[in-house]
Amino acid sequence: MSILVTRPNPAGKALTQRLIDAGKIAFQAPLIEITAGRELPLLDAKLKGLKAGDCVFLLSKNAVSFANWQLNQLQQSWPDTLSYYGIGQSTAKDFQHLSSLPIYYPEQGETSEDLLNLPALNQVKDKQILLLRGNGGRELLAKTLSQRGAIVDECECYQRLFINYSPEEFALQWEKAQVDTLVVTSGEMLQQLFDLVAESKKAWLLNCHLIVVSERLATIAKTLGWETVTVAESANNDALFHALI
């Protein structure tokens, strides 16, 4: 098995090195890079505009790290009068480590659907909710919470920027390296990978064993033409490592 990890740094680099340390043949080719979001300077004002009992949703570990960095620059701390929700356990643990505040999160899964299934989120009428997120991505959370009567605002704390690879060189390099297993952790990266590889190399791409992080991604992958797809238990590196091992 020769593995190509496409998730962005630093998580992608850490997973790749962990696989190598375990004796696996592993490479990394991140499909996106993460930079500060365009609305990050507005974060402090948006948090101060919330009332006690209002909600803040942290939709990725990147949202946690960039938002916490911004507050540190201003010598501000996370308000302790708000209710915090994390998209999954790994995001929640990062937030707890940095803030020492309680945070709610789904015990199983790390998707918008899992988060929306929390019983408390059925009673959000007239609450203000601030979503800390990246650019693009799904709109399910904002749409559903608004339908449930919440007043939803967003703050783009980080940006995902596509890395430009040569389509010819990309597929040729990894086919020569005998890559037969791919790790992809988001829908936009899955589509980017599919579009990146030229038609002449699509057979190699679609014959690879694909490791994804949700049933939704598995469905997208099968629609695109992948046949062998494994869903890791969650989106964190531990779950991906165990799926690969």
Side-chain angles (χ1 to χ4, degrees), residues 103-119:
I103 182 170
Y104 304 98
Y105 59 91
E107 294 292 337
Q108 299 293 328
E110 300 194 359
T111 68
S112 297
E113 288 86 350
D114 297 319
L115 184 55
L116 287 165
N117 282 336
L118 291 178

Side-chain angles (χ1 to χ4, degrees), residues 3-168:
I3 304 162
L4 182 64
V5 176
T6 67
R7 81 178 316 176
N9 289 322
K13 184 176 181 180
L15 177 60
T16 305
Q17 189 58 54
R18 187 171 172 184
L19 289 164
I20 292 169
D21 291 344
K24 297 295 183 183
I25 301 170
F27 308 95
Q28 189 200 10
L31 294 173
I32 60 175
E33 62 177 338
I34 307 297
T35 63
R38 291 165 292 189
E39 295 179 323
L40 193 56
L42 305 177
L43 173 64
D44 186 48
K46 285 178 179 283
L47 287 172
K48 288 177 177 174
L50 300 175
K51 305 183 300 295
D54 286 338
C55 305
V56 177
F57 282 52
L58 298 128
L59 302 187
S60 73
K61 296 175 73 169
N62 287 317
V64 173
S65 59
F66 276 97
N68 193 72
W69 176 87
Q70 178 68 13
L71 292 177
N72 284 342
Q73 297 304 300
L74 300 173
Q75 297 184 321
Q76 298 290 326
S77 57
W78 293 93
D80 60 8
T81 57
L82 304 175
S83 295
Y84 293 94
Y85 289 85
I87 192 72
Q89 186 179 61
S90 56
T91 298
K93 284 185 174 179
D94 275 12
F95 177 77
Q96 285 177 315
H97 174 71
L98 292 170
S99 70
S100 300
L101 293 174
I103 182 170
Y104 304 98
Y105 59 91
E107 294 292 337
Q108 299 293 328
E110 300 194 359
T111 68
S112 297
E113 288 86 350
D114 297 319
L115 184 55
L116 287 165
N117 282 336
L118 291 178
L121 296 183
N122 288 318
Q123 308 295 328
V124 293
K125 184 174 173 59
D126 297 329
K127 280 188 179 292
Q128 290 192 77
I129 293 178
L130 178 62
L131 305 181
L132 306 188
R133 56 176 295 174
N135 61 314
R138 304 174 70 196
E139 300 299 331
L140 179 66
L141 266 175
K143 181 179 178 181
T144 304
L145 292 168
S146 295
Q147 289 171 344
R148 294 178 183 179
I151 303 160
V152 180
D153 190 15
E154 300 180 352
C155 184
E156 181 194 286
C157 293
Y158 67 97
Q159 296 183 73
R160 296 179 291 261
L161 303 176
F162 289 131
I163 297 174
N164 292 320
Y165 291 102
S166 162
E168 297 80 10

